[in-house]
Amino acid sequence: MDARRDPSPTSSTTPPPTPAQLAGEAQDLEHVARKRVRLLASLTLIGGVGLILAIPFALKEGAEFFMPVTAALVIAIALVPLLEWFERRGVPSKLAATLCVLLFLGLAIFALGSIVLPAMDWVRLIPQRIEQVRHSLDPVISLYKSLQHWIDNTTAQIATAPAKSVRTVRLESTSSFVDTITTQAPHLLIQLFFSLLVIFFFLAGWTRMRKRTIVSRGSFAGALTTARVIQQVVEATSTYLGTITLINISMGAITATILWFLGMDSPMMWGGIVAVLNYIPYLGPIACVFLLAFGGLMTFPDVWSAMLPPAIFLTMHLVEANVFTPSLVGRKLEINPLLILVSLSFWAWVWGTTGALLAVPLLIIIKTIFAAAGTPDIAGFLFEDGVLTHVGDDEESSDE
């Protein structure tokens, strides 16, 4: 008899995972995700370090392109409030941009004309007045010789002093200075024309470019953040440059007036030098003191009268730097002095005097962008399980 068996399942069903297994799998997934974030952050850190090391040399080698473009963009950002002022009064964008460029060009020509032409005359007078400078410094030189003689005698009692080499001083012909300016003039004019074009086209398309940048964001929050960052960059840069420009012009005008009363030649030139060099933090005022001291030695018969112009300027600068600038600029643009020194050193190394003039505005722009996008947090990445950036706006507001 054929016996038929009931079909029985040959495969056993898998038992459901226990809560402990689920928790273990979740921990494994979290661990893998953390490792992935750390790997991506490590690659970002390595790439950022390489980029930081490469950018300065690229900027220095390509200074003929990057320097005028950067300077033009900084100036254009500072002129945006003036452009918007014209546009609010019904002036077309291109005409408003043209007016802003003409205003800046007029101020630049006036500043260069008041400084460069008299400076060339002063350079021509150096060989003629070097004897007067030496005569004015006779008391200081005599004091130095006495001190040096005492040091030499003291050293001779300890060891035999080596033979002194005779130093020779050679004065360059003043024609070399004029030849240098004449040779560099075409190149400078081309860079100036290029910078003016960059300023004009940036300002002419500013309203349309800002609108397109904000509208092109994928979300309302992204558009709002973009608009806020753009506004903060413009406000911070224009506020700083506008305030510092007014302060420097006032400093230059007061210095020129005082030097005119003292009887110093070319007071407008010295006022212009003070106004321009005062844009460079720390180093600019120091250079003004030395230049005014040298100019005083070329003008006045004794060293005490010659030291009066630098002493007056130094007093004015201390009052301006500790009273007027902090009260006018305000806490909103307060920057760590260490960051200013690092930025000044970096940009002066990359682009020389022009870089030193742009150091603080570029620092303000970078600081404003980092405040919104997130500042680098290398210490947190190295010593914690964090990423490379953290947004500091909330922390700063909570601290306040």
Side-chain angles (χ1 to χ4, degrees):
M1 183 177 74
D2 295 337
R4 295 182 178 180
R5 297 178 179 178
D6 294 334
S8 60
T10 59
S11 61
S12 60
T13 58
T14 304
T18 62
Q21 292 176 342
L22 292 176
E25 291 178 0
Q27 289 179 357
D28 292 339
L29 292 175
E30 184 181 356
H31 184 66
V32 171
R34 188 183 299 113
K35 282 189 173 182
R36 184 181 302 161
V37 171
R38 296 282 293 178
L39 177 60
L40 293 176
S42 300
L43 295 176
T44 304
L45 179 61
I46 294 172
V49 171
L51 191 63
I52 290 174
L53 294 177
I55 282 179
F57 297 98
L59 293 175
K60 192 171 185 179
E61 290 298 325
E64 292 188 0
F65 170 77
F66 290 111
M67 184 175 66
V69 170
T70 306
L73 291 177
V74 171
I75 294 171
I77 291 174
L79 290 175
V80 165
L82 181 61
L83 172 78
E84 295 176 344
W85 185 84
F86 282 125
E87 289 181 344
R88 285 195 298 267
R89 280 149 182 81
V91 180
S93 297
K94 292 185 178 180
L95 180 58
T98 303
L99 293 176
C100 293
V101 171
L102 291 177
L103 179 61
F104 167 74
L105 186 60
L107 291 176
I109 291 175
F110 174 76
L112 291 176
S114 62
I115 294 175
V116 175
L117 297 179
M120 294 174 64
D121 295 335
W122 275 80
V123 172
R124 292 192 186 97
L125 290 175
I126 289 178
Q128 302 175 11
R129 299 191 180 182
I130 195 67
E131 184 63 26
Q132 178 181 344
V133 174
R134 189 195 64 80
H135 183 268
S136 299
L137 288 176
D138 273 343
V140 180
I141 295 175
S142 299
L143 180 62
Y144 171 76
K145 287 181 177 179
S146 300
L147 181 61
Q148 184 66 34
H149 181 67
W150 178 81
I151 293 175
D152 291 341
N153 290 336
T154 305
T155 307
Q157 295 176 4
I158 301 174
T160 304
K164 296 180 180 179
S165 59
V166 180
R167 295 184 179 180
T168 58
V169 179
R170 183 171 62 90
L171 292 176
E172 293 286 344
S173 175
T174 55
S175 60
S176 61
F177 178 75
V178 180
D179 293 340
T180 302
I181 293 181
T182 305
T183 305
Q184 296 293 329
H187 180 68
L188 294 176
L189 288 176
I190 292 175
Q191 284 193 335
L192 177 62
F193 180 72
F194 177 70
S195 301
L196 291 177
L197 286 180
V198 172
I199 295 173
F200 171 76
F201 286 114
F202 181 90
L203 293 176
W206 166 254
T207 303
R208 184 174 62 255
M209 178 177 60
R210 181 181 60 179
K211 182 179 179 181
R212 185 183 306 166
T213 303
I214 296 174
V215 172
S216 63
R217 299 303 94 195
S219 62
F220 177 76
L224 188 63
T225 302
T226 303
R228 180 170 59 87
V229 172
I230 292 175
Q231 188 65 26
Q232 286 178 353
V233 169
V234 171
E235 286 183 358
T237 307
S238 60
T239 299
Y240 172 78
L241 287 179
T243 305
I244 293 300
T245 298
L246 291 177
I247 292 174
N248 292 349
I249 290 176
S250 303
M251 286 279 293
I254 296 173
T255 303
T257 304
I258 293 175
L259 295 182
W260 179 73
F261 276 111
L262 293 176
M264 196 165 177
D265 298 335
S266 307
M268 286 290 294
M269 179 197 73
W270 294 110
I273 291 175
V274 166
V276 172
L277 291 181
N278 210 39
Y279 280 100
I280 304 177
Y282 308 122
L283 299 181
I286 295 175
C288 287
V289 170
F290 282 103
L291 290 175
L292 286 171
F294 185 74
L297 291 172
M298 291 179 61
T299 304
F300 300 105
D302 59 281
V303 67
W304 307 114
S305 300
M307 292 300 106
L308 192 58
I312 293 175
F313 166 75
L314 184 59
T315 304
M316 291 171 51
H317 170 70
L318 292 176
V319 174
E320 171 262 322
N322 293 283
V323 178
F324 290 101
T325 300
S327 61
L328 293 177
V329 174
R331 291 183 57 190
K332 188 177 181 180
L333 294 180
E334 187 176 355
I335 306 176
N336 191 338
L338 179 60
L339 291 178
I340 295 178
L341 286 176
V342 172
S343 177
L344 181 63
S345 176
F346 174 79
W347 292 110
W349 171 70
V350 173
W351 291 335
T353 305
T354 305
L357 291 171
L358 296 173
V360 177
L362 289 175
L363 177 62
I364 290 175
I365 293 174
I366 295 173
K367 184 176 179 294
T368 304
I369 295 175
F370 276 164
T375 55
D377 187 19
I378 298 177
F381 169 74
L382 292 176
F383 303 109
E384 297 178 6
D385 293 333
V387 293
L388 281 174
T389 59
H390 71 275
V391 180
D393 283 344
D394 296 334
E395 296 177 1
E396 291 176 1
S397 60
S398 63
D399 292 341
E400 293 177 358

